[in-house]
Amino acid sequence: MATQVNRRQFLKLSGAVAATLALADLGFNESNVQAKTKALKIQSLKPTPTICPYCAVGCGILVYATEAKDDVVYTEGDSDSPINQGSLCSKGGSIRQIYTTEKRVEKPRYRAPGSNKWEEKSWEWMYEQIAKRVKETRDRTFVEKEDGIYVNRTDSIVSLGGAALDNEETHLISKLMRAGLGLTYIEHQARI
């Protein structure tokens, strides 16, 4: 059964075929267009390589920021990274929002025991509070001997390493936690 084509349908089909042939004959190359549009966004910006902070995989990310480093313009997977080879998961692809969101906390906040509100504090004050509380907890819970054997440990503090730490940083943190503070519970995000 033959299909009837009216004049309007014939002209639409003829126009579509002509446009397709014209583009094919002109050498339209989609990859060239993609490359040029990418350059427009980040043409004058220098990429800064970094590591995605979300999980323990450690995917490489290129961050394009303004010269003043006050705005992240664009992020993409680092194609030179042997881990992700330029691809990113949905969380890594949205990494720019960590910096650009208006909900981003930029100063330390402290909520006192029993309080229902957060107060902004200085970094120095926070460092002093953390150091004071770590020392107090270690001194209060330190076990020198157990059953006549020297153990020199504290079981009341835990160290948890993050995915953005490299092997050298993790090694140094582990040494500090074991030898410096006597921690036994030392874990890393990659094993959890």
Side-chain angles (χ1 to χ4, degrees):
M1 185 177 231
T3 305
Q4 293 290 340
V5 177
N6 64 25
R7 181 173 182 260
R8 182 174 293 250
Q9 291 171 332
F10 175 75
L11 289 174
K12 282 183 182 179
L13 185 60
S14 299
V17 169
T20 303
L21 291 175
L23 288 177
D25 286 339
L26 291 174
F28 181 75
N29 188 345
E30 185 179 333
S31 61
N32 287 343
V33 173
Q34 287 178 343
K36 292 208 187 282
T37 57
K38 180 179 175 186
L40 293 175
K41 283 188 223 176
I42 54 178
Q43 189 170 6
S44 64
L45 303 178
K46 182 180 176 212
T48 303
T50 187
I51 298 172
C52 181
Y54 282 121
C55 73
V57 174
C59 294
I61 295 179
L62 295 175
V63 177
Y64 295 86
T66 57
E67 289 295 321
K69 305 283 190 224
D70 60 352
D71 187 27
V72 174
V73 177
Y74 181 69
T75 59
E76 66 181 355
D78 187 354
S79 57
D80 291 335
S81 170
I83 296 168
N84 58 319
Q85 300 174 347
S87 63
L88 292 173
C89 69
S90 57
K91 289 175 88 174
S94 65
I95 198 87
R96 179 176 174 264
Q97 294 174 1
I98 289 177
Y99 187 82
T100 59
T101 182
E102 66 278 352
K103 295 179 182 178
R104 179 177 178 217
V105 177
E106 296 181 348
K107 296 181 181 175
R109 292 185 183 177
Y110 172 74
R111 190 173 79 177
S115 176
N116 64 350
K117 65 179 180 144
W118 292 90
E119 307 170 34
E120 283 189 357
K121 298 286 186 178
S122 70
W123 284 105
E124 291 78 20
W125 187 88
M126 294 299 278
Y127 290 142
E128 287 174 14
Q129 291 299 310
I130 292 168
K132 180 174 79 173
R133 292 176 190 200
V134 166
K135 172 126 177 52
E136 185 270 312
T137 302
R138 182 183 181 274
D139 291 346
R140 183 172 39 83
T141 62
F142 191 77
V143 177
E144 185 177 352
K145 278 186 174 180
E146 192 172 269
D147 298 329
I149 300 171
Y150 286 99
V151 291
N152 293 331
R153 71 164 191 253
T154 182
D155 294 336
S156 298
I157 303 172
V158 174
S159 173
L160 178 62
L165 300 173
D166 62 24
N167 287 343
E168 291 78 14
E169 291 169 322
T170 303
H171 178 72
L172 290 173
I173 290 170
S174 177
K175 288 183 106 167
L176 170 68
M177 295 299 134
R178 287 187 202 284
L181 295 175
L183 271 63
T184 54
Y185 298 117
I186 300 173
E187 195 52 82
H188 192 275
Q189 181 183 5
R191 293 177 7 131
I192 295 178

